[in-house]
Structures are given as C-alpha cells and as structure tokens.
Amino acid sequence: MEEGEGSNGGVFEGGLEVRVLVVDDSPVERRMVEGLLKKSGAMFQVIAVDSGKRAMEVLGLTDDKAEHPTVDHQKVDIILTDYSMPEMTGYDLLKTVKEQSCRKPIPVIIMSSENEPQRISRCRAIGAEDFILKPLQTNDVLRLRSYARPTELSPRTGTKRKMTLELMAENSGSDRRPRLAGLAVS
Amino acid sequence: MALHFSSAHPISALHPLLCFFLHDTYPEMEYASGLQRQLASMKKNLFDQGYLDEQFYQLEELQDESSPNFVEEVVTLFFRDSSRLVANIDQALQKYPQDFRRLDNFMHQLKGSASSIGAAKMKNECTSFREFCNKENREGCLRSFQKVKKEHAVLKQKLENYFQLLKQVGPVDKATHSGN
C-alpha cells in the first residue's frame, strides 16, 4: 500500500470515499466521532486511533519506517485530532504532519473542549485547517467535506471552503488510484 | 390510549365483540403502553432533574439500523472509562504532595467524556473540581470529588434502570425531544 500522504481517497459504489483519521485518547469521544462520521453519509471511511504516536504509525511517519519499508500504511485524506492528549498532543501531531507532508499536505482539523483563542490561533498559525469545539455536532462533520484535499490541477476557488477534487481516469499502465474530479464541494 | 364508548354510539354494539377478539392481546397492549409511558416519564425526569442535557439527543440521533444499540454502547463505554478515571483520581488524591496538573488532566478527560454523552450534572461537578485544582485547593478538590463520585454513581444507576426498561419495551420509534 502507498504512503499516507498524497491520497485523495478511494472510489466506492455510491461516490467518493474520504478517509478520516480520528485521533483521540478518549474511547467515548472516538466512538462518538466515528458514529457522527458514519451517520453523515457513506462517504467517510473512519480510521480511529487513541494516540498521536499511533496516528504517526498509520500515516507512515514513524522513525522505524525505514526498517520496515513493506509496512502497509493507510492513505488518509483528513486528520481529525483532539488537542489535549498525553505524550503527543494534537498540536505536536499537527506540527509533525505539516512538516512531513509539505508536498501534498493532509488537512488537519483540531478538536478541543476548550474554547481558548490562544490555542486556536496557535494551531492555525502552523497550518491547522480548522478548529472545532467538542462535543462535535452533525454540522461540524458536514464541514469536514470541504476540507477534502484538492489535486494539483484543481482551479482556484473564490472562498476558502470551496474546493474542487479532480478525477483522473486510472491509467491501466500505472499504479495510480482513481480520484474524483470536476466536483465542487461547498 | 383509552377507548370511550357512548351507549348512543353505534360502535358501542361492537365493544363486546372487540373485547372478545382482543381479549388475549388487549391486556398485553395495555401493559406495553404502560411500559412506554413509564419509559417516557423516566427519560423526562432525567432531563428535568438535570442529569442529562441535549447532547444525549445527539447520541439517540446516531442510533439506527446499522447501529441499533449505539446509545447503550456509548453509555456503557462511558461508565467503563469513567470508572477507570475515577479510580485514577482517587489514587492521585491520596498522594502527597498533590500533583494538581495530573489531577486536572484526569478530570479534563472525565469532563470531556461526560460532556459527550450529555451527563450534565457530572460535567458541572467536574468543572467545579477543576476550579479547585487551578487554585491548588486540596480540600476543595476532595469535597468536589465526593460530589463527582456521587453524581457518577447516581447517573449510572438511573441509566441502568432506563436501559433495562428500554429492553422490556422493545424497539420503539425515536423518542421526541419532549420525552413523550
């Protein structure tokens, strides 16, 4: 399987599937977010982990990647991470992801129960796409769709929330996965 | 629902006939209806007395054919996790000197989970505890923690009763926000 960055999701019966990596040390909140994502429609495929460290493994960003080059890292389209976690906080994860995936950055959305302006601006300053207050609601999940990453060929859009995902027909001679194109998401 | 038959009403003639045909099922229907009323009343009380808030409706909204036991599943998960956190806090409070940051972290987690399932009273007591933590007031923390534990135990019992009754009632339509 390919690396975690550079993915625009798979295609499944019914439309585009967006892989969301949910990172939260609380099993209750993980389950809630998973339930919300699945309820919002079949377009979300959820990968839920309980720590920043585990998220790094899923994304293929751990130091031992070189020792295990055949490890099957899952592709991720959006990262939805809690801010306050032990050992590796959501902020630490955000920073690492943005540093590592500079070629095709994965959108990172921070979740927090604390509405602290300093925390929010700190996260946005290093590239967080959004900051959502917990507990998450249905509206928050619907917003995630607008953060599905565009490809290099997507045209500029008028507002930050509108993105175009581009579909390229799968080349029979290549390993590239089909991607969705020409679809405006608002 | 009570059926009223007027002696002047033609359908009153059918009443004995209806009772004859329904005599096996009418008591069961009445029993089921009574259970449903009991369930609705129990749920309403949980909200009126402040144990639950609107976030609990969010849980219910996420329950469907693909996740038919979602609410009970998440609540069970909550009590498993919260019991662990309560034990951790209990242990941490016995230590000296007090690590208020550690205490606050545990309580932050507990508050977050409580908030996710709509456990309003618990959430409020967690907030009070954290305020004492921020002031490094150990006595305040101890008093507040007793309230957290009390609310935790009370909510656990009430929700266990609720789900037990829910199982007896069986699959019903989604409850309205009024709790009826």
Side-chain angles (χ1 to χ4, degrees):
Chain A
M1 194 184 275
E2 298 170 42
E3 293 294 330
E5 52 182 284
S7 162
N8 254 19
V11 175
F12 79 115
E13 188 180 342
L16 174 73
E17 187 176 72
V18 177
R19 284 203 183 88
V20 183
L21 176 61
V22 175
V23 191
D24 200 315
D25 60 323
S26 164
V28 176
E29 293 176 61
R30 272 200 313 276
R31 189 67 188 94
M32 281 294 295
V33 173
E34 192 178 357
L36 270 167
L37 287 169
K38 287 183 175 171
K39 183 76 176 181
S40 71
M43 69 174 295
F44 289 117
Q45 186 192 353
V46 181
I47 308 156
V49 297
D50 62 1
S51 67
K53 185 182 170 190
R54 185 73 186 97
M56 297 273 282
E57 288 169 16
V58 170
L59 294 165
L61 299 177
T62 50
D63 290 340
D64 64 353
K65 189 176 63 173
E67 295 171 17
H68 303 283
T70 58
V71 169
D72 197 6
H73 300 296
Q74 300 182 57
K75 280 186 175 288
V76 167
D77 301 304
I78 300 173
I79 299 169
L80 183 57
T81 178
D82 185 26
Y83 183 91
S84 300
M85 292 187 293
E87 294 177 20
M88 187 176 197
T89 65
Y91 180 84
D92 297 330
L93 178 62
L94 162 68
K95 194 161 182 280
T96 307
V97 166
K98 292 300 179 183
E99 283 169 359
Q100 298 278 348
S101 59
C102 52
R103 196 168 60 88
K104 289 181 184 176
I106 306 172
V108 180
I109 289 98
I110 305 287
M111 303 183 283
S112 177
S113 53
E114 312 282 348
N115 189 7
E116 282 181 25
Q118 255 189 342
R119 181 180 289 190
I120 297 169
S121 55
R122 198 169 159 240
C123 290
R124 286 197 183 276
I126 60 166
E129 268 69 13
D130 208 342
F131 193 100
I132 301 177
L133 278 180
K134 290 165 111 177
L136 263 65
Q137 307 296 319
T138 311
N139 298 348
D140 300 319
V141 165
L142 294 175
R143 272 158 65 184
L144 289 183
R145 288 190 287 188
S146 66
Y147 293 115
R149 292 175 300 125
T151 65
E152 290 105 342
L153 300 178
S154 62
R156 282 188 163 199
T157 54
T159 66
K160 67 177 180 178
R161 300 226 174 228
K162 286 190 178 177
M163 289 185 180
T164 304
L165 306 175
E166 187 173 66
L167 179 65
M168 294 179 284
E170 191 171 22
N171 188 327
S172 58
S174 83
D175 292 329
R176 288 162 68 195
R177 297 165 63 192
R179 298 171 177 187
L180 183 67
L183 180 72
V185 178
S186 60
Chain B
M1 185 171 73
L3 297 173
H4 298 282
F5 293 97
S6 161
S7 57
H9 200 285
I11 206 166
S12 64
L14 291 173
H15 182 218
L17 209 58
L18 284 169
C19 283
F20 174 76
F21 284 116
L22 297 174
H23 79 279
D24 277 338
T25 57
Y26 188 69
E28 288 175 14
M29 286 163 57
E30 201 172 7
Y31 176 69
S33 175
L35 282 180
Q36 284 182 354
R37 279 196 298 274
Q38 202 179 336
L39 184 71
S41 173
M42 193 185 277
K43 188 178 172 187
K44 188 173 184 297
N45 285 340
L46 284 167
F47 281 88
D48 289 348
Q49 291 166 13
Y51 290 102
L52 296 178
D53 63 25
E54 293 222 337
Q55 180 63 21
F56 190 80
Y57 294 133
Q58 177 78 84
L59 248 74
E60 291 182 324
E61 288 294 317
L62 297 181
Q63 184 157 301
D64 58 19
E65 300 81 26
S66 64
S67 299
N69 301 309
F70 185 80
V71 180
E72 192 175 359
E73 184 193 325
V74 173
V75 168
T76 303
L77 200 55
F78 167 71
F79 282 111
R80 195 180 304 153
D81 190 50
S82 59
S83 297
R84 176 188 64 87
L85 287 166
V86 164
N88 287 346
I89 295 167
D90 229 334
Q91 213 172 19
L93 279 168
Q94 306 308 316
K95 294 193 173 165
Y96 191 83
Q98 208 75 80
D99 187 342
F100 287 102
R101 190 173 171 180
R102 189 171 150 83
L103 277 172
D104 186 63
N105 283 342
F106 282 139
M107 195 52 81
H108 168 80
Q109 289 179 58
L110 184 59
K111 184 187 166 187
S113 299
S115 181
S116 286
I117 71 157
K121 277 194 177 183
M122 259 205 76
K123 184 179 74 173
N124 292 340
E125 291 304 338
C126 291
T127 302
S128 295
F129 182 97
R130 293 188 75 196
E131 284 167 2
F132 285 118
C133 256
N134 289 338
K135 293 172 187 166
E136 297 196 354
N137 181 339
R138 187 170 183 269
E139 287 309 310
C141 285
L142 287 168
R143 280 196 310 272
S144 181
F145 186 52
Q146 293 310 309
K147 291 180 185 175
V148 169
K149 284 201 285 189
K150 181 197 155 205
E151 293 303 337
H152 182 256
V154 167
L155 182 66
K156 187 165 190 268
Q157 188 59 65
K158 285 185 180 288
L159 286 176
E160 274 174 4
N161 294 344
Y162 174 75
F163 286 117
Q164 204 165 23
L165 187 57
L166 189 61
K167 280 187 178 80
Q168 286 181 59
V169 170
V172 291
D173 289 339
K174 272 190 191 171
T176 63
H177 283 197
S178 66
N180 296 323

